[in-house]
Amino acid sequence: MQISDLPYPDPGVPDARSGPRFLWWLGRGQLGGQARSLAWGLVHFCGVAGLPYTVGVGVGAVVDRDGAGLLLAGGLLLLSGAAISVGDAMLHRTAVTNWITAAARVQQLLARKTAELGSALTRRVAAGEVTTVSTGDVEKIGWFVEAVSRFLAAAFAVVALCVGLLFYAPAIGVVVAAGVPVLALSVLPLLPRATRRADLQREKAGRATELASDTVAGLRVLRGIGGEELFLGRYREASQEVREAAVRSARMWALISAIQVLLPGALLITVVWYGAVLVRDGRLAVGELVAAFSAVATMLYPLRHFEEIAQAYSFSRPSAARAARVLSLTRTEDGAEGSAAGSAAAPAPGGDLYDPGTGLLAPGGRFTAVVCGDPDLAGRLAERLGGHPVDGAGAAAPVLLGGVALDELALDAARGLVLVQDKDPVLLSGTLRELFDVPASGSVTASAALAAARCGDVLDALLQSAPEGVEDPMDARITERGRSLSGGQRQRLALARSLLTDPEVLVLDEPTSAVDSHTEARIAQGIAELRAGRTTVVLASSPLLLDRADRVVLVHEGKAVAAGTHRELMRGEPRYRAVVTRETEEEQRSAASGAAAPARPDVPEVPEVPEVPDVPAEELTGIEESA
C-alpha cells in the first residue's frame, strides 16, 4: 500500500482484544511495507557497519605504506558512503509510508466504527477520549509501526559489527561482544516506571481535553450564567496536572537517554584502554585498534534505535489499547449484534413502524406525533425507532418496519429507510450547497425542503453576510457547527436537510424547540404537506405541531397508553393534557375532582389551533427565540 492508494478499499477487521494484539494485527497487515523498509534499512546500516572496517584498512595501509590497500580503503569508503546515503533516503521514505498508511488504516477503522455506533459512541466513551484516540493516539501507533523496521535493521547492524570484530580483531572483539548486550538491556528495568508515568500523563491530558471540549461546547450557556471563570479555573488546574505529569515522565526518559550515553562512553573508554595495552604488547595492530574504536563509536548510532523502539512501544501500547477499546464496541451493550443482521430483505414501501418495547405504532404514510413527559425518554425512543439499540435495552424486541425487524437489515439499508434527526443536529462548515449534498431520493428539491422548513429569512441572512460576488444563497458559507447562525436558524436548516433526503420514515425529535410560535405553526404545516403519503414521526409537546398530526400517541412511563387526535386527547386524557399544558399535580387533582383549578395567569388555556395559511418562504418574517 502506497500513500497514493489511500484510503484503503477495506481497512479490514481488527483484532481489538487488547492493545498488543491490535498492534500485531496492524503490523501483519503491512508486511510488504515493512519488508521494503527493512531492506533499505539493511543497506543503510550495512554501510554504517562497514565504515570501521574501511577506516581500519586505510590506517593499516598507511602504516604499511601499502598503495593497493589504500586504494581498496578508498573504494570501500565510496561504497559505504553510497550505501549510507541511498539507504537512509529510501529508509526514511518507506518508514514514513508505513507510518502514514498505518495511521490512515486506524483512522478509517475509527471512522467506520463511529458511523456504525452513531450517537451511542459518546454515551459509552467520553468525547475527550474519542478525540484523543482519533488524533494523538493514531499518531503514536503509526510511530511504533514506522520504528519497527528501523529497529530490526539497527539490531542487524549491531550484530554484524560485533561478529565482524570477533573475526577482524578477536582480542578486542570479545570485550565489545560482551559489553553490547549490557548496553542494549540496561534500560529495561526502567521502562515499566517510564511507561506508567507516560500513561498517567496521557490520562490527565485526556481528562483536560474532555474538560476543554465540554467547556467550549457549553460556552454560550456558561456566559449566560457567569460560569466562565469557574470552568476556566478547573481547566487551569487540569492543565497544571498535565504539566507536572509531563515533567515527571520527561525526567524518566531523560535518565534513560543519559544511560544510553553513559554506558557506551564507558565501553568506548574500556576499548581504547584495553586496545592500547594490546598494541603495546604487540598482540594488536594499530589499524585493528582504530577499527575497534570506530566500531564502538559507530555502534552508538544504531543503539539509539533500541531506545526509540522502547519509547515508541511504551507510548503506543496504551494508545493501541484505547483504540482497541473503541473498535471493540458494538451497537448493543452486551456485544450481541444479532446473528441475523443483514439477512432480511427490505420491507415493502408504506409499512407501519412499530416498537414492541413501548407499544408505539406509527401507521405507514401518516404523520404521527409522540408526546413523552420525559425528554430523555423521547431521545431514547427516537434512537430505538431508528434501529439504534439503547444501552441497557439490548434484550428488548427490535423495532419493526413493515413487519421486518430493523436489526435484521443491513445497517446501511436500515439507515436508508429510517432517518432520525435528534435534538441537536450538527451543521458542518462549508457552503449551503455542500450541506445539502446528502443521499436523497430525488423526489424533494432543495428549494421545496427549505420552503417547508421556512428558511426564507435564513437564506436572506446568509446572502447578506456573504462576500461580494455571491448571488446565490446556496453558495454562502456556513461556519463550523453553524455558530454564525442563531439556534432557530440552525434548527430549520437541519430540518430542511432531513426533509430533502425524503426517507421512507422520518423521525424528528423536537424539531422546532428553538423557533417562535408563529414560525412553528408554519413549519408544522410545511412538514405535513411535504411529507404527505410518507411516514413521519415527530416527538414533541407543542400544541402547534400536535394539532397538525394525523395521529398523536401518548407515551407514559415507557408505554404507549393513549392514541387519537390532539383535540380528542386534550378533552379525554388528563395525563396528555398535563404534559402539553404543563399542569401541576394540584391542578390535575382539582380537574379530577371537578373543582375549579387555581388561577394560573402565567399559563393561559391552550386554544384550538387554527389552520395556518400557506405563505411563501420569501415572505416569512418570524422572529426566533434566543438560542
Side-chain angles (χ1 to χ4, degrees):
M1 172 64 70
Q2 298 297 318
I3 296 177
S4 59
D5 299 326
L6 294 175
Y8 285 90
D10 180 11
V13 180
D15 185 349
R17 289 176 291 177
S18 65
R21 287 179 181 271
F22 179 63
L23 289 174
W24 175 251
W25 174 85
L26 203 61
R28 285 191 294 115
Q30 291 190 308
L31 291 179
Q34 293 289 357
R36 285 190 294 271
S37 184
L38 177 60
W40 287 113
L42 291 175
V43 171
H44 171 67
F45 283 106
C46 283
V48 172
L51 282 178
Y53 177 74
T54 301
V55 172
V57 170
V59 172
V62 171
V63 172
D64 298 338
R65 300 182 179 275
D66 182 4
L70 196 57
L71 288 175
L72 175 62
L76 291 175
L77 187 60
L78 289 176
L79 182 61
S80 296
I84 292 172
S85 300
V86 176
D88 186 38
M90 296 305 298
L91 171 61
H92 179 74
R93 178 186 179 90
T94 53
V96 171
T97 299
N98 290 336
W99 183 344
I100 294 175
T101 52
R105 186 191 293 270
V106 177
Q107 286 179 328
Q108 280 187 247
L109 290 170
L110 291 171
R112 186 174 67 182
K113 181 60 65 173
T114 302
E116 175 189 332
L117 296 176
S119 60
L121 176 62
T122 51
R123 289 201 311 269
R124 315 247 305 260
V125 181
E129 183 172 348
V130 175
T131 303
T132 301
V133 170
S134 58
T135 54
D137 285 340
V138 167
E139 184 175 342
K140 292 180 178 67
I141 292 171
W143 176 30
F144 174 73
V145 172
E146 176 225 6
V148 167
S149 56
R150 282 208 308 269
F151 163 70
L152 293 176
F156 178 85
V158 170
V159 173
L161 283 169
C162 292
V163 173
L165 277 178
L166 285 174
F167 284 95
Y168 183 72
I172 201 71
V174 172
V175 176
V176 175
V180 165
V182 176
L183 299 183
L185 302 177
S186 59
V187 298
L188 287 182
L190 299 177
L191 287 180
R193 183 177 299 179
T195 301
R196 286 195 298 270
R197 292 190 180 185
D199 290 347
L200 180 61
Q201 175 196 347
R202 283 187 291 271
E203 180 182 345
K204 291 183 178 295
R207 285 202 294 265
T209 302
E210 182 179 352
L211 178 61
S213 62
D214 290 344
T215 302
V216 171
L219 189 58
R220 183 176 296 182
V221 176
L222 292 176
R223 286 175 175 170
I225 63 177
E228 292 175 272
E229 288 301 323
L230 174 62
F231 275 79
L232 183 59
R234 291 180 180 176
Y235 182 74
R236 284 196 186 103
E237 293 177 3
S239 178
Q240 288 303 310
E241 291 179 1
V242 174
R243 182 189 64 81
E244 293 172 1
V247 170
R248 294 184 71 248
S249 178
R251 285 173 179 167
M252 183 56 65
W253 288 111
L255 176 60
I256 292 175
S257 298
I259 292 174
Q260 289 289 321
V261 173
L262 177 63
L263 293 184
L267 178 61
L268 189 62
I269 294 172
T270 302
V271 168
V272 172
W273 173 79
Y274 183 59
V277 172
L278 294 177
V279 171
R280 186 190 61 188
D281 296 341
R283 291 186 292 166
L284 187 70
V286 174
E288 293 174 340
L289 174 60
V290 173
F293 173 82
S294 301
V296 175
T298 304
M299 205 177 294
L300 299 180
Y301 168 58
L303 280 174
R304 291 196 191 103
H305 292 81
F306 285 70
E307 176 191 353
E308 182 194 16
I309 194 64
Q311 190 171 6
Y313 180 73
S314 298
F315 276 85
S316 65
R317 183 183 55 78
S319 296
R322 279 192 292 268
R325 180 189 171 208
V326 174
L327 295 175
S328 64
L329 296 175
T330 57
R331 294 176 64 198
T332 55
E333 193 173 36
D334 58 3
E337 295 287 343
S339 58
S343 61
D352 296 342
L353 183 68
Y354 177 65
D355 176 26
T358 59
L360 171 65
L361 173 66
R366 305 281 297 280
F367 181 178
T368 302
V370 181
V371 175
C372 296
D374 182 2
D376 292 335
L377 173 61
R380 294 193 297 271
L381 178 58
E383 292 189 13
R384 274 188 53 79
L385 294 177
H388 309 293
V390 180
D391 294 346
V399 173
L400 305 178
L401 177 60
V404 179
L406 290 178
D407 284 1
E408 296 180 3
L409 296 173
L411 187 60
D412 292 343
R415 289 181 173 174
L417 290 170
V418 184
L419 175 66
V420 179
Q421 177 181 305
D422 59 19
K423 291 185 180 69
D424 188 22
V426 176
L427 301 182
L428 302 179
S429 60
T431 64
L432 191 57
R433 195 181 307 279
E434 293 170 342
L435 177 68
F436 279 62
D437 185 15
V438 293
S441 67
S443 301
V444 178
T445 63
S447 58
L450 288 165
R454 305 312 187 211
C455 295
D457 61 313
V458 183
L459 299 180
D460 293 339
L462 288 173
L463 196 57
Q464 290 176 3
S465 61
E468 286 188 34
V470 177
E471 300 179 355
D472 188 346
M474 296 297 290
D475 295 325
R477 294 196 65 82
I478 299 174
T479 57
E480 180 186 1
R481 299 183 68 89
R483 289 194 172 95
S484 60
L485 304 173
S486 69
Q489 289 174 329
R490 288 196 301 270
Q491 198 170 56
R492 283 184 282 162
L493 285 179
L495 174 61
R497 180 179 59 186
S498 298
L499 294 173
L500 175 66
T501 61
D502 190 35
E504 178 73 20
V505 179
L506 177 60
V507 180
L508 303 172
D509 187 7
E510 294 288 356
T512 58
S513 59
V515 301
D516 63 274
S517 300
H518 182 69
T519 307
E520 185 177 34
R522 298 178 183 275
I523 291 175
Q525 178 182 348
I527 294 175
E529 293 177 351
L530 189 66
R531 293 286 299 173
R534 307 286 268 171
T535 306
T536 306
V537 180
V538 177
L539 292 99
S541 58
S542 168
L544 298 173
L545 271 173
L546 299 174
D547 192 61
R548 278 288 174 182
D550 300 323
R551 186 170 186 265
V552 181
V553 179
L554 172 64
V555 176
H556 181 69
E557 295 182 353
K559 296 294 180 182
V561 296
T565 66
H566 166 62
R567 301 182 188 189
E568 291 172 349
L569 294 176
M570 282 290 293
R571 287 191 294 266
E573 178 54 64
R575 291 173 295 184
Y576 177 83
R577 185 169 57 250
V579 174
V580 175
T581 63
R582 308 296 194 270
E583 284 184 351
T584 64
E585 294 183 2
E586 181 181 355
E587 290 171 329
Q588 295 179 46
R589 288 193 297 269
S590 299
S593 62
R600 295 185 66 202
D602 57 322
V603 182
E605 183 180 353
V606 179
E608 298 290 340
V609 182
E611 294 291 326
V612 181
D614 188 15
V615 179
E618 58 270 14
E619 297 182 10
L620 296 180
T621 57
I623 302 175
E624 299 176 354
E625 297 177 355
S626 175

